[in-house]
Each structure stands twice: as structure tokens, then as C-alpha cells.
Amino acid sequence: MTNFLDLEKKFGSGLYSLKDKVFVRGEGVYLYTDQNEKYLDFMSGHGVACLGHAHPVLIKTLEEQSKKLVTLHSSYPNETRAKLFELMAELTFYDETKCFLVNSGTEAVEGALKLALAYNREKKDPNVIAMKRSFHGRTMGSLSLTFNPKYRQPFENFLSKKVKFATYNDLDSVKGLIDENTACIITELVQGEGGVYPADKEFIKGLRELCDEKNILLIFDEVQTGMGRCGKMFAYEQYNVKPDIIAIAKGLAGGFPIGAVVSKQHIWAKLEKGEHASTFGGNPLAASMAIATINTLKEKSLPENANELGKYIIEKLKKISSSSIREIRGLGLLIGIQFKSKSGPYIDYCEKNENVLFLSAGMTVLRMLPPLIIEKIHANEAIKSIENALNFVKDKDN
Ligand SMILES: *Cc1c(COP(=O)(O)O)cnc(C)c1O
């Protein structure tokens, strides 16, 4: 039999640069290789595994629901799906909530965009304002809202010409782009892929006021920041500002693929039956996993844990005196260390020598996206690995 690594290389798309580690299982905040080496996982599948790996509640839910019913089109009512809707309502717009289920972040953004455009269908030539440095996904609609030229360039001809990019955290820049045809403004509360840049309180408050004044819909892309990641169930709660439409995915079902578009009833009323749908979206299995995840996040006060440990990590990192660090940024357990040089060598060092896994966010930022179940000992382990990396990478450079 051919070695599976050769098969990956031969038949895989080649779109991912494959690492040389083979992880075969996970437990809590740790991943284990085929050699049974243990790694502290501060990536959690790009912020997906908010409850860590092999969480007993998720295992039980998966088993029980898959024995009952895996798939059922959303044209048939389903108790599990209905319960998820009720939970989402409790977390967002209460009795006014409408929720549409999809399977990924990019689909949640697509849904939010279509909803906003349908709501503005009387506008003749609607346009949308997104932010520079934004990331909203890689399908054509969401890619139109994503700023990074590297992701856009080959497909530019197919992307919407109706998107204008404002400077993040600069209200005047947004104001300058608004006209009578502006349908919506979309932003992340912390720009994740763009380099871990939290929004200023004044900026978010200002966006809300601007949108209210000009009758423009405000969309928050909470795909990465939501589900407790930033210290509250949704990051907008840290800003005391509510959007009109929310896009949710990544952590929503603790690793099971799902996404959601949530908004108020009067906004949904403009989208007609059949104008949007999803075959997989709203299947009972994904819904049950989301319910189990939300209940666990609440029962174990994991957003609060993210808030406390996020503050703890940021405080500790800021105390490290190193001329290699440009800035420490973050909100909850979405944390970035910006170096003066490339972050790659630091991330590689931590993986190879410290058995700690971090992500990058752009060229110079090391990103921490740990499971929300981490404890202080894990935080300390991660911080220690950064200290060691700083010493090593510096020594090597000198
Ligand atoms: C990851 C991400 C997306 C895209 O999610 P996919 O599930 O990869 O399609 C969209 N928006 C933000 C803010 C993200 O972090």
C-alpha cells in the first residue's frame, strides 16, 4: 500500500503547504502525533474546536443524533433545528430573531450579503462598504468583500465592482464612501486573518450611529470572533453595539461544520421564499452539535474564561521585554503578537522545540486561537514557549 503522505501529495489539490507532523488524535487542549508526541493546540483548527478535542458532550451528541436522524431538508420541521433557533434567539435579537443555517463561514457571509441586498432592493444600484485588511471568505460574493489582493487578484474580473473599502477604525473614511445607494457596511470586530486588529469602541459606536442615521444595514462578521472567542458570546457585546445582521460559523458547533445568518424579522421579510436556500443547511446532526456546543459554552462559563485568560495572556506578553516585538493585540482568546520581522521562525520554533502550535495572521503576526477550555497552566505553557522562541530566534540572528 502506498504511504498516505504520498497519496496526499499526489492527489491532494496542493493548495495547502503540508507540514511534516501527523496528528492522529486529540484530547482536550492537546493533539497527539502518530509517534504519540503531545502538542499544546493554540490553533484549534483555526478557531473551530472551541471545546477542545474529543469533548465527551460532543461525542455523545454525535452518536445519539446520528442514530436518530442525520439529514432532513429544511422544508420539513424538525425539533432539534427549532431548539437551535430558540437558543440563537436567546443569544441575539430575542423574539425578533430570524435564523438561517448554512455550513461554513463564507456561506454565512454570502447569506448576510444577499439578505442586505434583498432588503435594499428598491435601491437601483446598491453598493456595499467593507474594510481594508478584511477577511470574509473565498467564494465569489464573500471574496468581493475580502480585501487581500493575493486572494482576489486571479478572480478580480468575477468579483463585484460594487464594493468599496474603507480604512478600519477610521470613521471619516467610511463616511466618505457612503452615498444614497449604500446598502450595508460589513466589518469584523477583530480583524482575524488581517493580523488580529481589534476595532476601537468609538469606531463601532460611530458605525452604528452612521447606519441608523443613513438607514444602512450594519453587518458584523462574527465568524471568528463569535461563540465566546472574544470574552462574550459575541464580540459585539464587548462594544455594547448591536448589528442588524450577524454572520456566524467556526466555533458554532465545536468542530462540526455549520454556519448561521441571524437578523431581525423585518429584515428577513424582504427576502422571498426560494430566493435563498441550502441543501445541507439546518440538518439535525449539525443543529444538535451546535446546541451541545452552546449549552456547554454557557454551563462552563467559557466566554468568561476566554475573557479572563485572554486578559491574563495579553498582560503577561506585554511584560516580556523584547526588541523583536512590535505590538501585542487581542480581545479574549484571539490574540496576536506582531514581530518586527516575519512571524514564521517564531511559530516554527514553538512547534519544533516547544510542542506548541500557533497560527500566523499575515507575514509578521503570530496568532493564538486556543480552545476556550484552556486553564492558566496552558496559558503559562504558551507564554513560556514564546519567551524561549524570542531568545532562540534572537540568538540565531545575532
Ligand atoms: C474564517 C472566516 C471566514 C470564512 O469561513 P470559512 O468557513 O473558511 O468559509 C469568514 N469570515 C471570517 C471573519 C473568518 O475568520
Side-chain angles (χ1 to χ4, degrees):
M1 207 186 71
T2 318
N3 178 306
F4 81 93
L5 277 174
D6 293 336
L7 293 176
E8 274 246 17
K9 282 179 190 146
K10 186 171 176 195
F11 297 121
S13 64
L15 289 171
Y16 303 95
S17 38
L18 284 179
K19 309 263 179 117
D20 54 5
K21 297 266 173 328
V22 178
F23 290 111
V24 289
R25 65 185 181 92
E27 200 184 315
V29 299
Y30 292 99
L31 282 171
Y32 296 83
T33 66
D34 52 353
Q35 311 295 316
N36 210 28
E37 294 159 327
K38 183 176 164 187
Y39 285 76
L40 180 65
D41 181 12
F42 263 49
M43 313 193 311
S44 57
H46 289 223
V48 165
C50 55
L51 304 182
H53 300 281
H55 194 287
V57 172
L58 292 185
I59 294 172
K60 186 162 165 272
T61 303
L62 191 61
E63 187 186 355
E64 285 178 2
Q65 184 61 44
S66 62
K67 281 180 184 162
K68 275 197 274 182
L69 192 60
V70 169
T71 184
L72 182 74
H73 192 260
S74 291
S75 45
Y76 286 91
N78 175 260
E79 191 180 348
T80 308
R81 188 194 305 130
K83 279 187 182 155
L84 175 57
F85 288 158
E86 187 182 32
L87 273 179
M88 294 307 290
E90 281 168 17
L91 296 176
T92 57
F93 303 107
Y94 314 107
D95 273 354
E96 289 182 79
T97 307
K98 289 276 181 188
C99 178
F100 177 76
L101 294 170
V102 294
N103 316 286
S104 66
T106 198
E107 284 173 84
V109 172
E110 295 283 342
L113 181 61
K114 281 178 77 174
L115 182 57
L117 293 173
Y119 185 75
N120 283 280
R121 62 174 88 218
E122 71 282 356
K123 285 180 182 160
K124 285 218 163 51
D125 187 22
N127 64 63
V128 171
I129 297 174
M131 301 299 148
K132 289 177 182 165
R133 238 171 24 206
S134 63
F135 183 84
H136 296 295
R138 296 172 185 269
T139 52
M140 291 304 179
S142 66
L143 186 59
S144 296
L145 305 170
T146 293
F147 182 73
N148 194 336
K150 184 177 174 226
Y151 303 155
R152 297 173 61 92
Q153 196 274 325
F155 315 104
E156 199 68 58
N157 278 341
F158 253 72
L159 302 182
S160 173
K161 307 286 183 274
K162 302 296 173 189
V163 182
K164 303 186 265 190
F165 289 97
T167 304
Y168 195 62
N169 278 337
D170 180 347
L171 207 54
D172 287 334
S173 159
V174 179
K175 278 182 193 160
L177 294 179
I178 291 177
D179 61 33
E180 70 282 0
N181 280 319
T182 302
C184 64
I185 299 175
I186 182 165
T187 188
E188 300 151 88
L189 281 311
V190 180
Q191 291 186 317
E193 305 294 320
V196 191
Y197 290 92
D200 295 339
K201 290 234 157 78
E202 291 310 307
F203 179 64
I204 296 301
K205 240 184 82 202
L207 281 184
R208 180 70 275 173
E209 286 164 7
L210 206 54
C211 286
D212 287 343
E213 186 190 315
K214 308 263 185 191
N215 204 10
I216 293 168
L217 292 177
L218 181 58
I219 305 174
F220 287 161
D221 180 345
E222 291 255 16
V223 169
Q224 189 160 161
T225 52
M227 307 322 295
R229 170 64 53 193
C230 290
K232 297 271 186 189
M233 198 56 96
F234 293 107
Y236 67 74
E237 296 168 59
Q238 297 276 32
Y239 291 81
N240 284 316
V241 169
K242 259 195 180 173
D244 299 300
I245 305 174
I246 318 166
I248 308 162
K250 288 199 167 91
L252 178 52
F256 202 86
I258 191 172
V261 189
V262 184
S263 182
K264 285 188 187 172
Q265 211 161 350
H266 72 279
I267 297 173
W268 279 102
K270 297 271 190 85
L271 198 53
E272 306 275 337
K273 277 192 176 57
E275 285 183 344
H276 197 48
S278 167
T279 300
F280 289 124
N283 72 79
L285 187 56
S288 71
M289 294 297 276
I291 292 169
T293 303
I294 294 168
N295 284 337
T296 307
L297 287 171
K298 291 205 288 196
E299 278 160 25
K300 304 285 179 195
S301 303
L302 294 178
E304 289 81 356
N305 190 54
N307 197 42
E308 279 165 32
L309 285 179
K311 280 185 181 151
Y312 173 79
I313 293 173
I314 290 173
E315 202 175 292
K316 287 265 174 183
L317 289 175
K318 282 187 172 169
K319 281 195 183 132
I320 298 174
S321 69
S322 165
S323 55
S324 309
I325 295 179
R326 187 175 299 281
E327 198 177 26
I328 313 285
R329 298 184 292 266
L331 188 64
L333 287 174
L334 170 48
I335 298 168
I337 303 174
Q338 182 160 22
F339 295 96
K340 289 180 183 162
S341 55
K342 287 183 180 168
S343 59
Y346 298 94
I347 295 168
D348 290 346
Y349 177 88
C350 289
E351 179 178 324
K352 290 201 171 69
N353 302 283
E354 302 285 328
N355 287 26
V356 182
L357 305 169
F358 296 116
L359 278 174
S360 63
M363 293 301 275
T364 58
V365 177
L366 175 152
R367 181 171 33 153
M368 298 184 175
L369 276 175
L372 309 185
I373 57 167
I374 60 162
E375 297 167 22
K376 218 169 217 177
I377 46 162
H378 308 118
N380 288 336
E381 196 180 331
I383 294 161
K384 186 81 199 141
S385 76
I386 298 285
E387 284 175 327
N388 292 344
L390 281 164
N391 287 330
F392 175 79
V393 177
K394 198 165 50 195
D395 286 346
K396 211 181 68 175
D397 289 348
N398 283 346

